Amino acid sequence: MQLSRRGVLAGAAIGGGLLVAWTLRPRRFAPPLSAGRNEASFDAWLKIAGDGVITVAVPQLEMGQGVTTILPQVVAMELGADWRQIAVEPTPVSGAYPNLPLAARWAPLWKPALPFLADDADDWLVRRFAEDHRFMVTADGTSLAAYEGPCRNAAAAARGMLAMEAADRWGVAWEECEAEGGFIVHGKRRLSFAELALDAAGRTPPDPPPLRSLPPAEKPSELGAEAPIFYPRLDLPAKVDGSLLFAGDVRLPDMVYAAIIHGPIDRSTLKSFDAQAAAGSPGLVGIVKGKRWIAAVGRTWFAADKALRKLAPSFMVSRGIDSGRIEDALENAVMKGAAERIVTRGDGTDPMGKPTLRARYDVSPALHATLETSSATARLIDGRLELWIATQAPEHAREAAAKALGISTADVVLYPMPAGGSFDRRLEVDHAIEVALIAREVGRPVQLVWSRGQEALAGRPRTPVAALLSAKTSESGHIAVWRAKLALPPTTQEFGERQFNNLASWSAIEASEGRADPMAVEGADPPYDMDHVAVDHVPVNIGLPTGRMRGNAHGYTCFFTESFVDELAALHKREPLSYRMEMLGHDPRLAQCLQRAARLAEWGGGGEQSGQGLACHRMGPLEGGGRIAAIATASQGEGGVKVEKLSVSVDIGRIVNIDIARQQIEGGLIFGMGLALGSATDYERGHPTATRLAALDLPTLADCPQIEVDFVDSDAEPFDPGELGVAVVAPAIANALFSATGLRLRRLPLLSGGL
C-alpha cells in the first residue's frame, strides 16, 4: 500500500532492488525500500523519482495517530523538500527499523531475568534484540522518539548527496549549496531534486550527515485551532474520499469470506455443532473448526455469517468468567492480599499511623470499541503465506501465523494495512492465526472479519482494578504520608507472555500469576511534593485475560490520584487549584499547565454547584515527559452526565506538527470521556454483556463538549500527546460532578453504582 496525494495503491515492498548508500547501521539487512523504475533509493528511509516525488518509508502502523505524516514531515523539513511532492510507503517487516525506545521500555517483558541490562535505548542488548526480532512494534507513543533521528540522518545524507551532484555540475563547493522547496540552490542557480536524484544516488554520502542546526518544530500560535496548517495530513484526502484501503477492503481473485464464533472466556473447547442445519445455505463454501472456535466460509461475508448462526455450536467450559467472581477476587485482594511495594519515597508508609482519609476506588473492565473489528486476509500457496493485516506488532503476527501452520517465519509475507482505530487493540494477533488456518483448510484466499459481538468476546479488555488510597495530613492539609494500594492482575506481564512467548491467554495468566507489575500501576506515584509515599501492587488472578489500552495504567491511576487529592482539598476546605500548586514547586512545567488551564477556563475556584472540576497529570520522568492540566465543566441531569466544556493546557516539549498534536489531545479527551462514562462491560458465564457499540454508552457527536487546547511553547524533548488526554479527563469530570452535585463518584465508569 502506498499513501500519497496521488491516491492509494494496493501492494507493498517485499524486498529486492539496490539499496544505495547503506551507511547508517553497523549491520546489513535486505533492502527494505525498493526503488522502482526511474527511482533512486537513499538509505532505508527515502527514495526520489525522476518526476520529483519523494517517497518516505514508515515502519509504524497508521491507526489514526498521524505517523504517516509526522515521519515524512521530519524527512521533508530536514531534506528541504516541497511537501506537495511527498508520498508514503509502509515498510515490510525488517530489522532495519528497530523501535529501540520501546524495546528498552519493554525490557522487563522480553528479558525479565536481567532487565537492568537493557533499560536504555542505547544499550547494545536492546539493539541486538530489536534488530534480531524485527521489533517494529507501534505502541506507547514511541514513534517519534524511535525514528526522528534515523529519518533526519537519512534526509541530511540525501541532501548532501544531492548538493554534491549539483555542485559538481556548477563547479562549486557542495557545502555552499542550500536545499529548499525541492531544489538545490547556489546563488541564482537551482536544480530540482528530480534532475539530480538518479546521478546523486551513486555518490558516497557525507559522514557524518550534515544535520540542520535546529530539529523540526512548529510553534504554538495565538490563533490556536484557527492557525494555518503547513503540513496537512497525507492520509486525509484518501480517508475523505474513501479510497484508503483497510484490511477489510482487500480483494483478491477467487477470494472467499469467513465469519467466526469463539467459545466463552476462557479455555473453552468446541464440543459440537449442527453441520446439517447449515448444509445447503446459499453461498456457503465450507466449515472450518478450531479447538476453541468455528468458522463458516462463504462467497460473501453475510452468507458465511448466516450459515454460521445455523451451526449453533456448543462449547465445553470448566468455569465461565463471571463479574461477581472478578469483583470478589479484587475485593479480597485489596483488603487482605499480600502487596508488593513498587514505589517508595521517604519512609513509605512507616509514619502513617491512623490515616486522615481513606477511600476506595474501582474500575470496571473496558472494551476498546474500535470502529474496525479484527480483519485479515490470507493466501497460502506452495507453503508461502501472504497476510494482509493491520497490526501494531507485525513480526509477532508473522511468527504466530507461521507457528500455527508449521512453516518458517521467512515464508510469511506481511502486507501492512492501516487500522481504523486501535487504542492498542491491534497488539493482539489471534485473527492472524485464525485466518492462516482457515486459508489452509479452504485452499483459497480468504478474508476473516470478526463481528462486533466476537470483537467484544475475544478481545482483551482493559483490566478491572480495586484501589485503596490513604493519606495522613496536617491540620492545614499538607500531605505527610500517601499510600496507594492497587489490586489488579499483572496485566502487562500477562501481555508480555502472549507477545514475546506466544502463550495462549490462560497460559499467560498462569505464567504471570503472583508477579508484581510496575507497568500495571504506572502513574500511581503522585506528581506532587509529599514527605512519604508508597505505591503497592497486589497481583490477583481474576481469570479474565486483559490487555493494553490507550492510556494504559495512567487511565485509572490518574483517576485515583486526582480524585483523592480533590477529596483531601474538600476535607480541609482548600481551593483545589491552590492546593495543588502548593505541592508543585519541584515541577514548574506542570504548575504552569495548571495556571494556564485555569485562565483558559475562567476557573472560579470549583466551589459548590459551580460544575467545574480540575485534574492534572504527568507522564514520564520529572526531567522529561509530558504534562497536562484539564478543567471540566459538567452537570448531571435526567439523561446522565453532560460535559459542556473541557479546557486543557498541555506541555509536550518540542512540537513537530501542532495540528496533529491538537488532534491527538482532542481525540484522547473524547476517548477518555468514553472510558469515564461508558466503554465497560460485565461478564456472565464467559460472555460479555455488552456486545454492541450501542450498549457501551460511548459519546456521540452531540455529546462532545466544547474543547479548548492551549499548548505551552517548550524546548524540552518531544513527548507523544496521544495518551495524555485519556488520563486526565475522568478525574476532571468526576471532580466537576462533585462540585455540581456534592456526590463523590469513585467508580469508573461514573454513575455505574459506586459513590
Side-chain angles (χ1 to χ4, degrees):
M1 180 191 61
Q2 184 172 0
L3 307 178
S4 73
R5 285 185 175 78
R6 296 181 171 187
V8 181
L9 306 176
I14 301 177
L18 176 63
L19 181 61
V20 181
W22 185 257
T23 62
L24 300 183
R25 299 185 181 276
R27 303 178 67 198
R28 291 187 174 273
F29 304 92
L33 191 63
S34 299
R37 184 178 180 182
N38 201 31
E39 281 186 327
S41 291
F42 292 80
D43 207 281
W45 288 96
L46 70 150
K47 56 187 179 181
I48 303 176
D51 62 359
V53 173
I54 301 165
T55 302
V56 180
V58 176
Q60 297 275 273
L61 173 66
E62 176 59 72
M63 46 191 174
Q65 83 279 35
V67 69
T68 49
T69 297
I70 289 286
L71 296 185
Q73 179 186 342
V74 170
V75 169
M77 294 179 78
E78 185 65 49
L79 184 62
D82 186 332
W83 187 242
R84 294 169 297 182
Q85 293 182 292
I86 297 294
V88 179
E89 183 170 304
T91 68
V93 184
S94 170
Y97 305 104
N99 187 336
L100 301 179
L102 186 63
R105 177 171 167 73
W106 283 4
L109 306 183
W110 56 263
K111 197 72 175 178
L114 299 170
F116 60 89
L117 293 179
D119 57 2
D120 190 280
D122 294 328
D123 288 346
W124 172 85
L125 190 59
V126 170
R127 178 174 289 277
R128 182 63 181 266
F129 164 82
E131 290 181 343
D132 288 352
H133 291 82
R134 302 175 182 87
F135 187 77
M136 294 167 49
V137 175
T138 308
D140 285 13
T142 54
S143 295
L144 190 63
Y147 300 111
E148 181 184 32
C151 281
R152 289 191 67 196
N153 283 331
R159 173 165 44 81
M161 295 160 72
L162 292 166
M164 290 175 183
E165 178 62 29
D168 271 4
R169 297 184 187 184
W170 295 329
V172 299
W174 73 269
E175 293 89 349
E176 298 174 359
C177 298
E178 300 290 339
E180 56 185 38
F183 290 86
I184 298 296
V185 179
H186 185 272
K188 294 183 178 181
R189 290 177 290 194
R190 53 198 280 137
L191 288 169
S192 70
F193 291 174
E195 295 174 275
L196 300 168
L198 297 181
D199 291 329
R203 293 183 171 272
T204 300
D207 187 17
L211 292 172
R212 296 183 185 272
S213 58
L214 296 176
E218 292 186 346
K219 295 291 185 181
S221 167
E222 293 182 359
L223 297 176
E226 302 303 318
I229 300 172
F230 298 104
Y231 294 91
R233 293 184 65 131
L234 293 177
D235 57 346
L236 187 58
K239 286 182 175 178
V240 170
D241 66 21
S243 60
L244 183 62
L245 300 181
F246 293 89
D249 297 321
V250 173
R251 296 294 180 265
L252 301 175
D254 198 33
M255 189 177 82
V256 291
Y257 301 83
I260 196 167
I261 290 179
H262 300 89
I265 306 170
D266 196 24
R267 205 171 184 171
S268 55
T269 303
L270 180 64
K271 183 179 179 182
S272 64
F273 58 95
D274 191 350
Q276 285 299 114
S281 295
L284 179 65
V285 173
I287 297 169
V288 179
K289 58 179 181 177
K291 189 173 184 180
R292 310 181 199 286
W293 51 266
I294 187 168
V297 182
R299 287 195 290 270
T300 68
W301 187 87
F302 296 100
D305 185 58
K306 190 172 182 179
L308 183 66
R309 296 173 187 273
K310 295 178 181 179
L311 292 174
S314 63
F315 295 85
M316 184 169 60
V317 185
S318 58
R319 187 180 72 169
I321 300 301
D322 180 81
S323 287
R325 293 196 186 103
I326 293 173
E327 292 184 4
D328 288 346
L330 292 173
E331 170 76 18
N332 184 66
V334 77
M335 300 305 296
K336 304 175 183 177
E340 296 279 349
R341 180 94 2 128
I342 304 298
V343 175
T344 302
R345 275 198 264 157
D347 296 327
T349 55
D350 289 347
M352 175 74 81
K354 183 179 179 180
T356 305
L357 182 66
R358 175 179 293 165
R360 164 78 178 270
Y361 298 88
D362 293 275
V363 175
S364 298
L367 301 179
H368 296 78
T370 58
L371 185 62
E372 177 191 32
T373 61
S374 297
S375 308
T377 302
R379 177 167 58 192
L380 181 64
I381 300 177
D382 297 330
R384 184 176 177 85
L385 177 71
E386 293 176 282
L387 192 60
W388 288 260
I389 190 171
T391 174
Q392 294 175 247
E395 183 65 1
H396 179 40
R398 293 177 70 224
E399 290 174 346
K403 183 178 180 181
L405 294 178
I407 63 177
S408 168
T409 304
D411 289 324
V412 179
V413 178
L414 188 146
Y415 300 93
M417 307 299 294
S422 176
F423 321 122
D424 280 354
R425 175 67 184 90
R426 300 295 163 237
L427 284 168
E428 307 289 349
V429 298
D430 306 68
H431 55 307
I433 298 171
E434 293 164 354
V435 76
L437 293 172
I438 296 170
R440 182 182 66 183
E441 296 305 309
V442 299
R444 295 167 63 177
V446 62
Q447 183 174 101
L448 170 67
V449 177
W450 289 10
S451 67
R452 179 61 58 185
Q454 292 305 302
E455 184 74 18
L457 170 64
R460 308 294 199 283
R462 188 184 72 176
T463 183
V465 190
L468 275 178
L469 270 70
S470 309
K472 181 76 170 180
T473 64
S474 66
E475 290 185 4
S476 66
H478 171 73
I479 302 174
V481 188
W482 173 285
R483 185 191 188 192
K485 181 182 180 184
L486 281 64
L488 70 157
T491 180
T492 317
Q493 297 288 340
E494 177 190 326
F495 160 76
E497 294 292 346
R498 294 195 301 269
Q499 179 78 207
F500 297 106
N501 295 325
N502 207 26
L503 295 185
S505 55
W506 56 89
S507 298
I509 291 174
E510 293 170 357
S512 58
E513 186 170 2
R515 288 159 59 180
D517 190 347
M519 295 175 71
V521 298
E522 194 172 44
D525 185 7
Y528 303 108
D529 188 11
M530 301 173 181
D531 299 333
H532 309 284
V533 174
V535 176
D536 295 336
H537 175 210
V538 184
V540 52
N541 185 343
I542 61 173
L544 175 70
T546 58
R548 307 282 285 170
M549 178 178 281
R550 186 178 187 181
N552 291 299
H554 295 274
Y556 45 83
T557 57
C558 181
F559 172 65
F560 303 151
T561 298
E562 288 300 287
S563 296
F564 195 55
V565 166
D566 232 58
E567 293 203 49
L568 289 169
L571 178 67
H572 292 282
K573 296 181 171 52
R574 296 287 303 274
E575 189 271 326
L577 175 62
S578 61
Y579 188 61
R580 288 171 169 83
M581 291 293 294
E582 189 178 279
M583 298 184 286
L584 286 175
H586 66 296
D587 193 346
R589 291 175 64 192
L590 185 54
Q592 183 184 23
C593 286
L594 272 171
Q595 291 174 321
R596 294 172 68 130
R599 285 196 297 268
L600 194 65
E602 298 180 348
W603 170 254
E608 293 182 4
Q609 298 184 338
S610 71
Q612 284 189 319
L614 177 68
C616 64
H617 193 58
R618 181 181 71 234
M619 287 187 179
L622 177 63
E623 60 275 10
R627 276 87 169 157
I628 187 168
I631 293 177
T633 303
S635 59
Q636 180 184 353
E638 293 183 2
V641 176
K642 175 63 176 178
V643 182
E644 299 166 5
K645 185 178 179 182
L646 291 171
S647 302
V648 177
S649 182
V650 185
D651 183 345
I652 54 171
R654 171 169 55 88
I655 303 171
V656 175
N657 187 307
I658 198 164
D659 183 54
I660 289 180
R662 188 181 304 279
Q663 293 172 24
Q664 284 295 284
I665 293 295
E666 291 176 350
L669 292 171
I670 298 301
F671 189 83
M673 272 187 58
L675 293 173
L677 305 177
S679 302
T681 185
D682 289 327
Y683 289 87
E684 294 179 359
R685 301 178 64 185
H687 288 271
T689 58
T691 58
R692 301 180 61 190
L693 290 179
L696 293 177
D697 294 322
L698 299 174
T700 65
L701 188 60
D703 299 320
C704 292
Q706 176 187 353
I707 298 177
E708 297 176 303
V709 181
D710 165 67
F711 287 99
V712 176
D713 187 3
S714 174
D715 294 326
E717 285 299 305
F719 185 83
D720 185 84
E723 299 186 342
L724 281 167
V726 178
V728 79
V729 69
I733 295 173
N735 293 337
L737 292 175
F738 173 73
S739 70
T741 67
L743 292 176
R744 182 63 68 181
L745 304 175
R746 300 191 181 101
R747 186 180 185 94
L748 290 181
L750 304 172
L751 299 181
S752 59
L755 299 179

